[in-house]
Amino acid sequence: MTDRLESREKVTGEARYAAEYPVEGVAYAAAVQAGVGRGEVVSVGTDEASRLPGVLAVLSCENAPRLNGVDDGELALFQSRKVSYRGQFVAAVVAETLETAREAARLVRVDYRSEPPDVRLGADRPDLYEPGSVNPGFPADTGKGDPDGAFARSAVRVDATYTTPAEHNNPMEPHATIALWDEDGTLTLYDSNQGSSIVQTTLAKVFGLDKDRVRVVAPHVGGGFGAKGTPRPNAVLAAMAARAAGRPVKFAVPRQQMFATTGYRTPTIQRVRLGADADGRLNAILHDAIGQTSVVREFAEQTATPTRVMYRAEHRRTSHRLVRLNVPTPSWMRAPGETPGMFALESAMDELAVAAGIDPVELRVRNDTDRDPESGVPFSSRNLVACLREGAGRFGWAARDPEPGVRRQGRRLLGTGVAAATYPAYMQPNRATARAEPDGTFTVRIAAADIGTGARTALTLIAAEALKADLDRVRVEIGDSAFPRASVAGGSAGTSSWGTAVVRACEALLGRMNGTVPPGGLEASADTGDEVKGREEYARHAFGAQFADVEVDVDTGEVRVRRMLGVFAAGRIINPKTARSQFIGGMTMGLGMALLEESVMDAEFGDYLTRDLAQYHVPACADVRDIDAVWVEESDPHLNPMGTKGIGEIGIVGAAAAVANAVHHATGVRVRDLPITPSRLLPEL
Amino acid sequence: MRPFAYERATSVEDALARHGDGALYLGGGTNLVDLMRLGVEEPSRLVDVTHLPYDQIQLKPDGGLVIGATVSNSDLAADRTVREGHPVLAQAVLAGASGQIRNLATVGGNLLQRTRCSYFQDASKPCNKRDPGSGCPAREGEHHNLAILGHSEACVATHPSDMAVALAALDAEVQVQGRAGERSIPFEDFHRLPGGEPQRDTTLAPGELVTAVEVPPLEMPSRYRKVRERASFAFALVSIAAALRVEDGRVEDVRIALGGVAHKPWRARRAEDALRGAPATEESFLRAAEAELDTAEPLRDNAYKVPLARNLIVRTLIELGEGT
């Protein structure tokens, strides 16, 4: 139980976030968003804006410098006249003050030649296509046996379609950048991101610079959830604006503009078919997922991939189809793929449990497997059953009457639900250095990111253990691309990936120390590229079980979650205190997914109407009554030197299904379209 | 944000004198400043009226209240006379916004807060309320949380205030001061239905300043209930302010107002008329609710509000009748 090491700096406001660096002579940027959903910019009228005192520059497709193309078309800022979606940045103003910049941005007159935007996602679209692969590189489709035939022949069948809406990451700290160009052409970015090395490489490419001429600084990041996993247009805009103005420029994306420009979880349409024998043993699993992407960039959410590893069944199929629409590009959002995918699969498992008359916990236990059901590769460890059993015991599951819609407390219907969770245990190559200082302390450096997860604390614990040193003698420095190159804080891979490099650097340092430290200190470094490549073949995944207890008001259809419990098997837990926060944070976000979160597409104009936190509802304190997370001890030798699997994302996986299953248990109503709002539930009660 | 002047009024006469030429009065600013940032409101000048001497709640000898326009929502909800004599009002205020916003928001400003319709708040789109004659995309677009009663072709927006719903049920009167002098506006006449002029939320004349709200005594049990997806800090899908007096099993007096269903806090007169003198039973309550909602004209995606409002009326009256 270690307190977050930077907690004092954070609560006293000493910890600096991207937009907070005191930079002399800084100017401010404000962006202009496209007012049409599809078309071309005919002209950009800047006279009125330019006349405003304090305006330093107006940038648009008519005068922006040429940038180098990179994989992500969202970064090709002002490089063409094409408007791909409503809200896309089409111009920007730089001014002496933020107020002037915003007012001038309002005065920029953009004329368009426009066409009606194509924004409707549907399972019936003729232009659905199979992507070459899905995030982060899996095949779009997989199959084994004769799933359609086996499903048709199964004694018990579930065939249901589930939908999840677009959902937006809403980190407390918006996407923000301060950009400074030195006289020698070096670019420094104070930028809110999940990986300074990645931002460094990408921005260097965009601006045609040697990588060493870009420095990205991000020691504290106020949340990301995946939205800051890739550089976003804000970083490019700030850098471009700073060059145009000849001054440092600050650009923090206003909350309203984040909804179009910083990524979101694609809406999904998922058909799940489960075929089982009378005892609930699965014979056929089919999961067909549809999502959307933009015309700017392909992002293929891996929605059906968790179904590939969850349950034993001879006959199986998963597929992904996409459609390109005039919408902002979807991106990573906490457990992309697993989160919507497991909502569908685990809802279908609950429907199967009801159809077969089998307890939902028992049904999942019955379909457990010790090998990856598709590849036959053994799991490095898989403690799903332990999580289900431990959770059922703690939650008081044994007393549960399976009959839906019969428990009442006054005007409220009560119900409980369960869902399983899984998330891959990824590992990325990384580099780190460890220094022994003459004063007996150690400094470890790696360009890792702490986006509020407690990564800094976990890495310090890992380093101290590897160095066999007390915690207060070890300093871990992160969040700077000047430090050894690190992978992104994403995929729940940070602690495992960075930690391995830290351990190897510390081991190398200890190997060189011989008891004495020279006056200049002693440094060792590590690169885990070969180690990651050379790992044995195992299916490596974390597992979990989510339990929820809900009440539903019969007069209003309001759902409140009385109690939630998550039990996780995620390898070794480095720091129980911050780990618990990660788990319950994920579960809270899952509660929001189940009941609240929904970005509403305006079919006429083609943008998301929900543009602030008054309209886009995330859980508030009053929604979170009693959430607890625990874990089962797991010692897995096939992971990494720490024995960790990663915990950032598994907390959200399965949480929405557990709530939805509890709502069904409470009411007898199966809501297959998230979120479960009074408007959807009340008419069915 | 367009540049604007900021001035602080020293007296009501001073405030009135400073109004005009695109000026707006500024209370707590919890809605107006947001709308300025969004480019929805573009005043040339803000006349801050929060320092005017209207920050008292007076209890009148008959049990009625005079609530000054600059009383904060927090102070109103915390006031002992309000909590004891007019619990529905305290409950409604506490159901709104967040603690931080209630600390800043004022009674006068609360009455004048503007709709949260997405199209109204997005200056890049048409909206008859913001830009008369430009059209109403909400009618065919997103209206899941918009009006089912009293709307027009021009506008389907709802009034967002909780406090105002309670005041509508309480037969309050709004005291205003204009250049022509003082006047008192019955609460039901204060907010408008949209008709062909949705840009006008209220019947205030240009420059008129709200100075107080008068609330007559309430001698029956009352309560406020608000339905929302999130347990706090969300606007109502539907809300109800109700008061009921039952004698010998019959409805002696009743007040019902609904929020989240119309362009103004909706006084349910038809339901009240159906109930006065009727037996205080679930059946009567249901008939009364249905009488009120017979006139509802739900849009494509908000028909759920009809059974929701019906259930709320019935359940709230049952609970008031039972004294639970």
Side-chain angles (χ1 to χ4, degrees):
Chain A
M1 278 287 192
T2 306
D3 290 342
R4 194 182 293 263
L5 296 173
E6 73 281 17
S7 50
R8 187 183 166 78
E9 286 93 315
K10 283 189 171 169
V11 299
T12 55
E14 205 180 304
R16 285 218 169 96
Y17 292 82
E20 299 178 338
Y21 284 81
V23 173
E24 193 146 337
V26 77
Y28 296 81
V32 179
Q33 295 183 281
V36 300
R38 177 191 200 175
E40 267 186 15
V41 172
V42 173
S43 66
V44 182
T46 61
D47 290 357
E48 229 187 321
S50 301
R51 272 201 300 270
L52 214 60
V55 169
L56 303 170
V58 184
L59 289 159
S60 73
C61 59
E62 302 205 326
N63 65 351
R66 293 301 93 194
L67 300 174
N68 294 325
V70 291
D71 292 344
D72 183 352
E74 294 278 3
L75 302 183
L77 219 56
F78 316 146
Q79 299 299 293
S80 94
R81 292 185 171 270
K82 189 175 172 190
V83 175
S84 303
Y85 59 87
R86 200 173 198 273
Q88 190 174 21
F89 289 154
V90 291
V93 175
V94 194
E96 294 281 356
T97 68
L98 178 60
E99 291 75 14
T100 305
R102 282 205 181 185
E103 173 61 6
R106 207 179 59 82
L107 296 174
V108 172
R109 189 182 161 75
V110 185
D111 286 321
Y112 304 92
R113 191 183 54 69
S114 72
E115 299 167 55
D118 180 7
V119 295
R120 193 186 64 83
L121 178 66
D124 56 347
R125 288 194 62 117
D127 50 350
L128 289 171
Y129 71 95
E130 178 186 340
S133 66
V134 297
N135 197 8
F138 295 115
D141 292 5
T142 61
K144 198 177 158 188
D146 170 24
D148 293 291
F151 175 73
R153 289 188 299 273
S154 292
V156 188
R157 280 177 291 183
V158 169
D159 179 351
T161 298
Y162 305 88
T163 68
T164 59
E167 294 159 356
H168 275 82
N169 285 315
N170 269 293
M172 291 277 278
E173 184 198 17
H175 291 59
T177 311
I178 301 176
L180 303 84
W181 292 91
D182 286 355
E183 275 169 22
D184 67 353
T186 301
L187 173 64
T188 302
L189 299 169
Y190 298 97
D191 181 64
S192 182
N193 64 65
Q194 294 176 226
S196 51
S197 300
I198 288 87
V199 177
Q200 176 194 36
T201 310
T202 308
L203 270 282
K205 273 189 206 152
V206 167
F207 288 96
L209 299 169
D210 189 53
K211 188 160 72 68
D212 299 334
R213 300 194 86 91
V214 178
R215 183 171 169 216
V216 179
V217 184
H220 300 289
V221 177
F225 308 110
K228 296 172 185 169
T230 56
R232 302 300 309 187
N234 55 288
V236 177
L237 195 156
M240 190 191 269
R243 189 176 255 178
R247 284 168 58 168
V249 166
K250 183 185 290 199
F251 179 51
V253 185
R255 183 71 59 183
Q256 285 87 1
Q257 295 191 349
M258 286 173 67
F259 283 77
T261 62
T262 65
Y264 63 100
R265 194 192 302 284
T266 175
T268 70
I269 302 168
Q270 306 177 57
R271 183 176 179 193
V272 179
R273 276 165 283 181
L274 301 177
D277 64 19
D279 292 332
R281 289 197 167 74
L282 286 162
N283 186 37
I285 304 176
L286 298 90
H287 188 168
D288 301 302
I290 295 169
Q292 72 188 28
T293 189
S294 72
V295 299
V296 178
R297 171 186 173 211
E298 182 179 275
F299 180 88
E301 177 114 353
Q302 65 276 40
T303 309
T305 56
T307 298
R308 295 173 183 172
V309 303
M310 277 310 293
Y311 300 112
R312 182 198 302 269
E314 278 302 300
H315 306 279
R316 44 202 311 134
R317 183 178 78 217
T318 62
S319 77
H320 296 85
R321 296 291 177 270
L322 283 184
V323 60
R324 288 187 192 279
L325 300 174
N326 297 116
V327 295
T329 313
S331 181
W332 300 335
M333 179 165 173
R334 207 168 197 167
E338 273 73 15
T339 299
M342 288 295 276
F343 163 68
L345 178 66
E346 290 300 295
S347 294
M349 284 297 279
D350 202 63
E351 298 207 43
L352 182 68
V354 172
I358 296 168
D359 177 79
V361 171
E362 181 56 30
L363 178 73
R364 289 169 172 83
V365 171
R366 223 171 261 187
N367 286 289
D368 193 37
T369 168
D370 57 357
R371 286 177 176 268
D372 177 289
E374 289 202 352
S375 66
V377 172
F379 285 102
S380 63
S381 59
R382 172 169 167 130
N383 283 303
L384 172 62
V385 171
C387 293
L388 287 162
R389 296 269 191 240
E390 173 76 18
R394 286 174 178 261
F395 196 72
W397 188 261
R400 183 182 191 261
D401 168 6
E403 187 70 23
V406 296
R407 285 149 302 276
R408 265 184 185 256
Q409 192 176 77
R411 301 297 296 171
R412 294 192 167 86
L413 288 163
L414 310 180
T416 52
V418 65
T422 188
Y423 195 80
Y426 294 117
M427 191 153 136
Q428 304 291 336
N430 273 270
R431 295 177 187 175
T433 57
R435 279 181 61 83
E437 314 288 356
D439 64 359
T441 64
F442 298 92
T443 308
V444 174
R445 292 196 174 98
I446 180 166
D450 190 328
I451 60 171
T453 57
R456 187 189 320 265
T457 309
L459 290 178
T460 309
L461 288 164
I462 288 167
E465 186 176 300
L467 292 163
K468 302 178 181 67
D470 291 340
L471 200 60
D472 59 6
R473 286 171 57 212
V474 179
R475 184 171 55 251
V476 172
E477 295 182 353
I478 61 170
D480 191 328
S481 66
F483 299 152
R485 181 165 189 78
S487 54
V488 70
S492 293
T495 301
S496 298
S497 307
W498 307 324
T500 301
V502 166
V503 168
R504 299 307 179 213
C506 291
E507 286 170 352
L509 178 66
L510 287 186
R512 290 179 53 191
M513 267 180 56
N514 284 331
T516 56
V517 176
L522 194 63
E523 182 168 305
S525 62
D527 181 338
T528 62
D530 291 340
E531 181 172 352
V532 170
K533 250 185 267 165
R535 295 210 296 175
E536 306 156 90
E537 199 184 0
Y538 279 103
R540 297 176 174 88
H541 299 265
F543 289 90
Q546 303 267 12
F547 294 81
D549 176 352
V550 305
E551 61 184 35
V552 180
D553 189 299
V554 294
D555 297 310
T556 66
E558 290 166 290
V559 181
R560 302 287 183 254
V561 175
R562 291 151 66 107
R563 189 165 60 111
M564 263 180 115
L565 171 68
V567 182
F568 302 97
R572 186 180 152 214
I573 300 302
I574 298 293
N575 184 15
K577 190 164 188 173
T578 49
R580 184 173 181 281
S581 297
Q582 282 291 292
F583 287 134
I584 64 174
M587 292 167 70
T588 302
M589 207 162 159
L591 184 162
M593 178 189 179
L595 303 179
L596 304 171
E597 293 192 43
E598 179 173 24
S599 299
V600 179
M601 170 56 67
D602 184 339
E604 181 182 355
F605 296 93
D607 57 353
Y608 285 108
L609 278 163
T610 26
R611 299 190 310 154
D612 58 39
L613 297 174
Q615 296 172 327
Y616 186 89
H617 286 176
V618 297
C621 287
D623 298 290
V624 182
R625 297 187 185 178
D626 177 0
I627 294 189
D628 197 14
V630 297
W631 45 90
V632 298
E633 290 302 324
E634 194 171 68
S635 180
D636 183 336
H638 309 297
L639 297 170
N640 51 55
M642 299 80 60
T644 55
K645 281 183 175 172
I647 56 175
E649 292 166 273
I650 193 166
I652 190 175
V653 179
V659 172
N661 294 341
V663 169
H664 175 264
H665 187 234
T667 62
V669 177
R670 181 72 64 181
V671 180
R672 298 189 182 89
D673 306 300
L674 291 184
I676 304 171
T677 54
S679 62
R680 292 198 170 97
L681 187 55
L682 182 64
E684 309 297 324
L685 287 178
Chain B
M1 193 187 287
R2 184 174 277 182
F4 61 93
Y6 168 87
E7 297 168 3
R8 189 176 281 183
T10 53
S11 67
V12 67
E13 294 75 20
D14 183 44
L16 295 173
R18 290 176 187 277
H19 202 276
D21 296 335
L24 288 175
Y25 295 128
L26 175 72
T30 56
N31 184 211
L32 176 56
V33 175
D34 284 352
L35 292 174
M36 290 168 67
R37 289 198 176 110
L38 292 170
V40 173
E41 296 276 15
E42 296 183 328
S44 58
R45 181 164 66 230
L46 289 182
V47 180
D48 186 341
V49 294
T50 53
H51 291 75
L52 300 185
Y54 301 123
D55 59 346
Q56 300 295 314
I57 301 171
Q58 297 164 44
L59 177 63
K60 296 201 293 188
D62 66 354
L65 299 170
V66 180
I67 304 163
T70 67
V71 169
S72 78
N73 280 19
S74 292
D75 287 345
L76 176 64
D79 187 87
R80 199 169 146 191
T81 57
V82 175
R83 282 188 291 140
E84 287 174 358
H86 297 82
V88 64
L89 180 56
Q91 290 166 13
V93 173
L94 286 177
S98 66
Q100 294 88 339
I101 290 172
R102 291 193 296 268
N103 286 342
L104 209 53
T106 63
V107 167
N110 192 315
L111 295 183
L112 297 172
Q113 65 177 305
R114 309 207 67 192
T115 185
R116 308 299 161 141
C117 174
S118 310
Y119 298 96
F120 174 74
Q121 294 195 311
D122 183 348
S124 72
K125 291 178 183 170
C127 166
N128 288 327
K129 193 177 211 16
R130 183 168 26 76
D131 184 8
S134 62
C136 174
R139 236 193 134 75
E140 295 300 321
E142 167 59 18
H143 51 240
H144 153 273
N145 196 20
L146 299 181
I148 56 170
L149 287 161
H151 53 76
S152 70
E153 279 299 314
C155 185
V156 293
T158 49
H159 191 262
S161 167
D162 291 293
M163 185 191 81
V165 179
L167 292 175
L170 289 170
D171 286 335
E173 299 215 339
V174 184
Q175 306 295 336
V176 305
Q177 178 120 22
R179 284 183 190 146
E182 269 184 85
R183 65 181 180 127
S184 179
I185 308 173
F187 204 82
E188 262 185 290
D189 301 336
F190 183 77
H191 294 102
R192 294 179 69 257
L193 288 178
E197 286 186 299
Q199 69 275 17
R200 289 177 56 217
D201 290 349
T202 68
T203 54
L204 282 175
E208 272 186 325
L209 180 68
V210 174
T211 55
V213 177
E214 272 200 59
V215 184
L218 180 72
E219 282 155 2
M220 47 183 170
S222 67
R223 69 172 50 186
Y224 189 74
R225 178 143 176 224
K226 178 177 184 179
V227 177
R228 46 187 161 183
E229 289 150 4
R230 179 159 65 180
S232 73
F233 202 18
F235 295 98
L237 300 177
V238 178
S239 67
I240 183 169
L244 179 72
R245 186 166 65 227
V246 177
E247 270 168 34
D248 301 328
R250 293 199 168 266
V251 175
E252 182 72 19
D253 197 3
V254 62
R255 311 275 185 79
I256 303 167
L258 300 172
V261 295
H263 198 254
K264 59 186 279 187
W266 186 265
R267 183 73 183 263
R269 292 282 185 192
R270 281 164 172 260
E272 291 179 5
D273 291 347
L275 275 174
R276 255 182 222 99
T281 61
E282 181 165 352
E283 269 176 277
S284 317
F285 299 151
L286 183 60
R287 240 194 326 269
E290 283 175 347
E292 189 67 48
L293 295 164
D294 265 356
T295 61
E297 291 182 276
L299 306 163
R300 185 191 63 232
D301 294 332
N302 68 0
Y304 74 96
K305 286 192 173 189
V306 176
L308 181 50
R310 181 197 63 212
N311 293 358
L312 267 186
I313 293 171
V314 173
R315 183 53 40 192
T316 307
L317 293 178
I318 289 174
E319 289 170 2
L320 282 169
E322 288 169 347
T324 56

